[in-house]
Structure formats: C-alpha cells, structure tokens
Amino acid sequence: MTLGLINANPIVREKKERINRAEAADHDAIDPLDIYDILNLISIDLVHIVRDIRDPEHPYSLEQLSVLSEDSITVDHNLARILITFTPTIQHCSMATVIGLCLRIKLKDCFPPHFKLDIKVAPGSHADEEAVNKQLNDKERIVAAMENPNLRQLVEEFDGSRSFSFDRNNKLSASNTSRLASEIGSSHSARFTSYEKLMRLDHHVDYIASNNNRSRNVTWRFLTKIFSLKKSSGGDSEEKMSVPSKSWRPDPNSRWPLQGW
Amino acid sequence: MSLLGEEEEALKLSEVQTLKGHTDRVWGLAWNPATGADGVPAILASCSGDKTVRIWQQQQQQQQPQPQQRSCSSPSFHCKFRIDAKEALVLTLRFSFVLITTEARELLFGKQLATASFDAMKMLSLLLEDRHDRTVRSCAWSPSGKQLATASFDATTAIWEENGSDFECVSTLEGHENEVKSVSWNSSGSLLATCSRDKCVWIWEVLPGNEFDCVSVLTGHTQDVKMVHWHPTVDVLFSCSYDNTIKVWAEDGDSDDWHCVQTLSESNSGHTSTVWALSFNVTGDKMVTCSDDLTVKVWSVDIVRLQSGDIHASWCHLCTMSGYHDRTIFSVHWSREGIIATGAADDAIRLFGESEDQSVDGPAYKLILKKEKAHAMDINSVQWSPTGNRLLASASDDGTIKIWKLESMQGTLNHSSPNTL
C-alpha cells in the first residue's frame, strides 16, 4: 500500500498546440473538439481529491496527464451518441469512478438532452475496467451520487477557474507535519479497510444533527489510532481540527470521496 | 382472447395523452388496481426526481351520442384535484392568476403545481411533496388501492393513505442505510418489501393501525438491489440486482425465516449485467426480466408445484430476446393479455408477444411493435393498465408521462382522435 500520494510521479506531457480546424459546415453539429476543450479546462489536482494538503502538487490538466486526448471523444450524430474514454494515470487508480462522474457532470449541459453519453476508461488502462465502466454508466447510481451533498460538492469543484484545494485551519500547530503523515497513513488505510464504516459515517453526516460531530470524531480517532504509523499528538489536536460544518469545504475529518458511489 | 387472432392484424400504439407536471425525470408509475373498471375512473401514481409524487385521475368525457357509431368515452387524464383548508385560499387566488406561467406560480405559492393538458378548464393540484428529501424512485399501490407506498433515495419509504380528498403520509419506514430503490406489496396486502443500494431486502408486515414491523432483513446480494416484486399468487419474493442476479426468497413454514431459495445467475442462463426489472404474467407461471446486457429473458416455473406450497419449485430459463435493444432496458411489464412491454434508454417502447411458431424447446416470443422516439429521452418505466383496455403508461427522463393505446391499424373503434381529448 503506497503511502502519501496515489500517484506521486505522474507522467506529464507537453501541452500540444492545437491546429485550428476549419469551421464546421454544420454549426449545429457537436464538435468533439469543443467537448475536448471544455474538459481540458478542468484543472485537476488528483492528490487533493483524497486528502487536504495546502499546497497543490500536481496542478496539471487532464490533457497533460494523458487522461484525455483528442481521440478520446467520439460523437455519432446519427445515433445521437457520445463516447468518452479516459485513461487513469495508474492501473489501480481508485479515483477513476469519481473522475468519470466529474466528467459526466461537467458535460451535462454541453449537448442536447436526447444525446446519450457513455463514459468509459480506455481499454486496458485500469485493473477493474469492467466494474468501473459499469458504475460510470449506471444512470440511477449517478443520480443518487449527485444527490449526496458531499459528493456533489466535490464534483462541483472541478472547474477550470480555480484549482481544487482544501484549506487547513490556521490554528494548526507546529506538529502539523508529523500529524499530517500519520493522517495520510491512517486515512489511506482507513479508506481501504474501513469502507463500510465510512459509508455508515457518511450516512450519519447526512441525517444526524451537527451535535453528533463529537461521536464521529470518536470513531475517526479510533480508526486513526489503530492505523496510524506515526504517533499522532493525541486526541486534542483532532478536536481542534473539527472544521465548522458551515464551511463550503467538506469536513476533512468525516468525509472522504466515495469511489463506490 | 388471442392477441394476434387468426389473421395477424397490424397493431399500432397511439398516443392518448401526455401528462406534464413533474419538473424532473419521472422514475416510476403505478396504476391503482382498484380503479379503472366498473365506472371507477382509473388512477395513476407517478414519482419523480423532483421529490414529489403525483396522482392522476382519468376523467370521463361525455360524448355526443351518434346513432351509427358505438358510444364510448375517450379517456383523458388530469391531475387529481385536491383541496384542504389551507389550499382553499390558494384555489381562490389561483383563479385570478390563471394566465401566469407555471414558473411564476411556483414562485408565488412556493410549491410545485401541476397543470394538466387537454382540458378546457385547467385543473391544478397541489401535492404534499414535503415528505421526501431526495428523488422518489418507486411507488406501489396496495392491492386494495387504499394505500400508496413510495420509496426514496433519502433511505425512507413513506406510506400514504387517502383521507377525504387528500393524501396524507400515515407511516414512514426507516432502516435502510442508503437509497431505497423499490417497494412492492404482496398479493394479499399483508407484506411489503423494500430494497436498497445497501444490498439488503427488507420485508415488513402490515399490522392494523398503520403499523409496519420489519420481519426480516435479507442479505445475499453482493451489490445494489434494483427492484423487488412479489409473485402474483404466492408469497414468494423476487429481487433483481446490479450483481447480475435475480434472487428468489421464500419463508420456511410460518416462522418468519426468510431465505434465498434460488439465485438466477449467469450460470443458469441468466443476465450478464445489471438486472433492472422483472414482471410476471397473469397466472404467475412465467416471469420476464430485463437488463443492462440488452436482453430480455423469460423464465418459467411449475406453477402447480409452487402453489401447492413447495417453495423450492425452481425457475428455469425459457427464452432470451436479444438483438432487439441497443441500450439498457430499464423496465418491463407483462399485461394481463400476455403482451410484454419494454421501456429502454433508446427512447423506444417495444412490445413482444408469444410467437405462433412453437419451437421444440418451448414457446418463443417475437417483437410485435417498436415505437421509436416514444419519448424525447430515456424511458424509465412502462406499466399496463390493470384492466383489459390495452392502455399503457410510460414515464421518461424528459419529465412527461404518456398514455398509449394499443389498437389495430385498420381504424379505431374509438372515434376520437388525439386532438379532441
């Protein structure tokens, strides 16, 4: 299990100069390059999806990370179908489903409603290709995911105008670094081993009043204690850490992206 | 009555009416089983992503009697009018604002209003929509027609009962961990089943005084359960899931010990992708299922054995209809007459019927009719009317519900055209 970033060393390509295409004869036709341009504006910071670190590490566009290319988008006007294939940067990318969801939501208003959009990972690019593709194209799951306020907030952050980042409270102490490392380890493993518990936590977030923040922190503290690799400074700093729930940014203590939405 | 008769008559699906009112995709439909015949106007419930449930009532229009032709009524639907003390004020205001657009009305009254089309007098209806916080995915009437269960992505199921001219929520069933996808009443109305993305199926017992007790939580599916449906004659429950299987659940004796008696998976000629819906024929000896794998499958059981109490009577695959659909099939429904209707993500409705050429292996099914572009977007639900009048309702992502009539091409016995409705 890798600690720290999911993909610490993404392969970054040069931004290609776009050769200007002649104006399309049919102005109503959907130009795959238009869709591509929209997607290219998404400044995605893969690291920030899973943890809250102040400085963005990889603020590269999807094109530069080879997640998307011009060939990724196919439009069939006769059948009114659009197919988008994207390539996650690593074979076991756990964020593939979230990326796919973001792409879909981003493109929702870019074509007439009768067009059908399919989003898939490029063949051979992901270890669970079939499962990811199935989830990415299950309409009911997509709608349910978007009604989940935390996931919705996450997805809505994928915007070219600002890079996706979490802010930490200014009250952080100097022991931040060590605490951060422990949280990275704990949260990472916690995510992989305690997914079911997280689902229940998330459920409680939605339906129980904020005075239950304490109980959530108790469970979270318990999990981090079990899995932390460095000694954290104890429960106190965790309590100071509780971000006010009114903040537009998701509470880092209790919400993690749900890959299995 | 044999569907195709001796000469195969060409059939068509004519649009009777479009019901507009929902402001988001319509997910599910349910015809009230106690209405539609013997002079009782048909009632249809629809549930939507706009978090509301709308109830539509058929309105009989008086026809001028004409000596040469049969007098008959042309069915038209309007959103059932409901009024209570609070809404009486709204009603008074409504008349003076009749020219204002729907959106403006919503702003003024702060509630969603539905206007029905085709009536000279616009009937408005207010629904008590403050019950569910998220999409209402499925609705089902109890066999008596007195109660309506609605399943929602907010993890609850609400039970509504008609109270005078209004519907009120008399009970809320909680317990699922996340989105509830489907709800179904058994044939006697004594049991209710719900299923959810939490992979569980819950069975509830209906007790007097609108009490609902959970009698069993059925685990076994490995993924999101999409739909549950009771067998039409025996208390055997069927569930279909994102894990590509259909599970059959039955009770051992009377002990509230429910368990899975059969799983129809890929290995027994089952589906190879998410199974979205299932439906039974009128006698209950056959079941049809539809899936994301673009096929529709028909299954059969020894009904005599099943009805005599043998819960282990097993279902076997009869027929697969493949090559007819090119996108996910979201809904399938078997009419009392034996016609299978499917609603798919390619905006089309298809009708299948038993084929006259019987193959050695058993009955085969063929495509009777394909209605392309039945809706502007994906069709989420198709439901035949429970009475034998060949009415089909379809619900779509475009927010509309359409009522169709299956009739022969030669000319209709009903002399109404869509414009006069």
Side-chain angles (χ1 to χ4, degrees):
Chain A
M1 194 155 31
T2 54
L3 297 180
L5 309 177
I6 287 179
N7 187 3
N9 298 308
I11 299 165
V12 181
R13 306 196 196 281
E14 294 293 325
K15 248 200 167 109
K16 277 203 296 199
E17 284 305 314
R18 175 76 52 71
I19 299 162
N20 279 331
R21 290 178 62 185
E23 286 223 359
D26 179 2
H27 290 278
D28 290 334
I30 292 172
D31 186 355
L33 287 179
D34 288 340
I35 296 177
Y36 184 64
D37 284 338
I38 291 164
L39 293 176
N40 222 12
L41 291 175
I42 299 170
S43 189
I44 194 171
D45 185 333
L46 292 175
V47 173
H48 286 185
I49 299 166
V50 292
R51 61 193 84 266
D52 49 340
I53 296 170
R54 186 181 283 280
D55 300 323
E57 292 218 11
H58 301 303
Y60 300 117
S61 72
L62 293 175
E63 179 186 29
Q64 291 172 301
L65 291 170
S66 286
V67 176
L68 283 178
S69 71
E70 290 178 9
D71 306 321
S72 306
I73 300 158
T74 337
V75 181
D76 182 335
H77 288 100
N78 295 331
L79 294 174
R81 310 257 164 103
I82 301 171
L83 173 65
I84 295 180
T85 54
F86 70 96
T87 311
T89 52
I90 50 174
Q91 276 278 332
H92 292 273
C93 178
S94 51
M95 301 314 301
T97 52
V98 180
I99 294 170
L101 184 65
C102 297
L103 292 177
R104 188 178 286 273
I105 300 310
K106 189 73 188 166
L107 292 173
K108 200 160 53 95
D109 301 318
C110 297
F111 44 83
H114 69 278
F115 265 75
K116 314 290 178 190
L117 172 62
D118 290 317
I119 299 183
K120 298 189 173 178
V121 292
S125 66
H126 196 280
D128 292 320
E129 183 182 325
E130 221 177 277
V132 171
N133 285 341
K134 189 176 179 187
Q135 191 176 336
L136 288 178
N137 294 293
D138 184 319
K139 180 174 78 172
E140 190 186 58
R141 291 284 282 262
I142 292 163
V143 168
M146 291 314 293
E147 289 194 343
N148 179 334
N150 296 291
L151 201 51
R152 187 173 193 105
Q153 211 165 35
L154 184 80
V155 165
E156 279 171 357
E157 287 305 308
F158 283 103
D159 193 313
S161 57
R162 57 185 162 197
S163 68
F164 186 74
S165 65
F166 288 80
D167 264 352
R168 225 166 238 242
N169 273 338
N170 291 329
K171 320 179 215 174
L172 283 182
S173 60
S175 63
N176 195 23
T177 323
S178 63
R179 204 187 155 286
L180 188 63
S182 72
E183 204 181 74
I184 288 170
S186 64
S187 61
H188 201 82
S189 47
R191 185 178 67 249
F192 280 101
T193 60
S194 311
Y195 181 61
E196 290 303 322
K197 273 223 169 74
L198 286 172
M199 293 280 286
R200 288 200 180 87
L201 278 178
D202 299 336
H203 180 77
H204 284 302
V205 167
D206 291 338
Y207 299 108
I208 297 177
S210 58
N211 59 6
N212 277 357
N213 272 352
R214 237 150 240 287
S215 65
R216 278 210 312 280
N217 284 343
V218 164
T219 321
W220 197 251
R221 239 181 289 138
F222 177 71
L223 288 172
T224 57
K225 279 202 178 118
I226 292 176
F227 295 114
S228 65
L229 299 169
K230 287 200 181 175
K231 290 211 159 60
S232 62
S233 39
D236 303 353
S237 60
E238 299 250 12
E239 273 173 35
K240 276 189 213 158
M241 270 306 303
S242 60
V243 178
S245 53
K246 288 209 172 73
S247 162
W248 59 267
R249 295 184 172 91
D251 181 351
N253 280 336
S254 61
R255 288 295 300 156
W256 295 99
L258 304 180
Q259 306 93 302
W261 51 256
Chain B
M1 154 194 145
S2 153
L3 171 63
L4 295 172
E6 275 159 25
E7 345 59 57
E8 275 194 20
E9 44 169 348
L11 296 167
K12 63 175 179 176
L13 207 57
S14 332
E15 188 178 324
V16 167
Q17 195 174 5
T18 300
L19 307 179
K20 295 181 185 170
H22 281 297
T23 54
D24 200 327
R25 50 169 49 103
V26 187
W27 280 108
L29 294 172
W31 290 94
N32 187 320
T35 64
D38 304 326
V40 181
I43 290 179
L44 176 69
S46 64
C47 58
S48 165
D50 63 9
K51 308 171 195 164
T52 72
V53 175
R54 288 187 198 279
I55 308 209
W56 311 85
Q57 185 175 47
Q58 181 182 32
Q59 194 177 37
Q60 301 285 357
Q61 284 183 349
Q62 296 300 322
Q63 292 278 351
Q64 297 300 328
Q66 309 206 353
Q68 306 91 316
Q69 284 140 330
R70 271 177 28 181
S71 66
C72 51
S73 57
S74 57
S76 99
F77 287 80
H78 71 99
C79 198
K80 190 170 177 185
F81 190 77
R82 232 177 312 296
I83 186 170
D84 67 15
K86 181 173 72 171
E87 289 156 359
L89 175 62
V90 174
L91 184 62
T92 319
L93 292 173
R94 189 260 287 176
F95 280 107
S96 44
F97 287 124
V98 78
L99 294 174
I100 297 176
T101 63
T102 311
E103 290 72 34
R105 278 194 218 113
E106 282 172 21
L107 279 171
L108 285 163
F109 301 127
K111 284 195 180 199
Q112 290 179 358
L113 305 176
T115 57
S117 48
F118 294 101
D119 289 346
M121 164 123 162
K122 292 212 176 244
M123 304 288 286
L124 299 180
S125 169
L126 294 171
L127 273 182
L128 300 173
E129 83 261 28
D130 302 316
R131 177 61 204 77
H132 287 299
D133 302 324
R134 298 198 188 174
T135 290
V136 188
R137 176 64 179 90
S138 159
C139 53
W141 292 96
S142 65
S144 64
K146 295 204 170 60
Q147 291 185 326
L148 178 69
T150 59
S152 167
F153 283 178
D154 65 6
T156 67
T157 305
I159 310 290
W160 304 79
E161 205 169 80
E162 192 158 8
N163 179 12
S165 52
D166 210 336
F167 271 77
E168 62 168 330
C169 176
V170 296
S171 191
T172 302
L173 311 182
E174 290 173 354
H176 280 293
E177 290 174 11
N178 43 46
E179 300 95 49
V180 187
K181 306 258 166 130
S182 175
V183 64
S184 176
W185 299 81
N186 72 343
S187 54
S188 58
S190 59
L191 296 170
L192 190 64
T194 56
C195 67
S196 162
R197 180 164 67 83
D198 64 7
K199 307 170 199 157
C200 297
V201 172
W202 286 51
I203 299 184
W204 308 79
E205 195 182 359
V206 183
L207 300 170
N210 290 321
E211 289 287 317
F212 292 82
D213 260 1
C214 174
V215 298
S216 194
V217 175
L218 308 172
T219 54
H221 278 297
T222 55
Q223 292 275 4
D224 181 10
V225 189
K226 295 296 193 189
M227 182 185 184
V228 279
H229 203 278
W230 288 95
H231 188 271
T233 55
V234 291
D235 281 347
V236 174
L237 181 65
F238 294 74
S239 61
C240 59
S241 166
Y242 184 99
D243 66 8
N244 311 349
T245 66
I246 299 141
K247 282 187 183 281
V248 186
W249 311 87
E251 190 180 14
D252 231 342
D254 216 3
S255 56
D256 276 356
D257 172 29
W258 291 82
H259 57 277
C260 177
V261 295
Q262 193 180 6
T263 300
L264 303 173
S265 64
E266 230 173 305
S267 53
N268 17 29
S269 312
H271 288 287
T272 53
S273 188
T274 304
V275 189
W276 280 97
L278 60 98
S279 176
F280 293 93
N281 65 350
V282 65
T283 48
D285 65 314
K286 293 202 186 66
M287 166 174 73
V288 62
T289 59
C290 66
S291 166
D292 180 55
D293 67 3
L294 315 180
T295 66
V296 174
K297 288 180 188 275
V298 181
W299 309 79
S300 74
V301 75
D302 181 347
I303 190 66
V304 176
R305 221 181 122 193
L306 184 65
Q307 281 176 330
S308 69
D310 181 2
I311 59 171
H312 295 282
S314 61
W315 291 80
C316 60
H317 172 261
L318 200 59
C319 176
T320 297
M321 286 94 99
S322 61
Y324 295 101
H325 298 85
D326 56 355
R327 286 193 74 82
T328 306
I329 310 151
F330 285 117
S331 177
V332 68
H333 197 229
W334 213 325
S335 78
R336 299 189 69 84
E337 239 185 334
I339 313 167
I340 297 169
T342 65
D346 61 357
D347 318 342
I349 296 173
R350 290 170 179 80
L351 303 182
F352 294 87
E354 209 163 306
S355 168
E356 291 294 314
D357 336 304
Q358 303 282 322
S359 70
V360 188
D361 304 314
Y365 292 84
K366 64 170 198 182
L367 181 72
I368 299 171
L369 168 50
K370 176 183 178 187
K371 187 78 185 176
E372 284 196 24
K373 298 196 176 50
H375 280 273
M377 293 170 73
D378 290 10
I379 296 175
N380 296 319
S381 180
V382 286
Q383 289 285 304
W384 290 101
S385 161
T387 56
N389 54 7
R390 291 189 167 186
L391 280 185
L392 178 70
S394 63
S396 166
D397 276 0
D398 61 12
T400 66
I401 299 154
K402 290 192 181 186
I403 313 285
W404 309 86
K405 181 139 178 102
L406 181 64
E407 50 202 6
S408 73
M409 288 264 227
Q410 273 97 357
T412 64
L413 295 175
N414 294 333
H415 55 269
S416 60
S417 69
N419 293 329
T420 64
L421 289 168

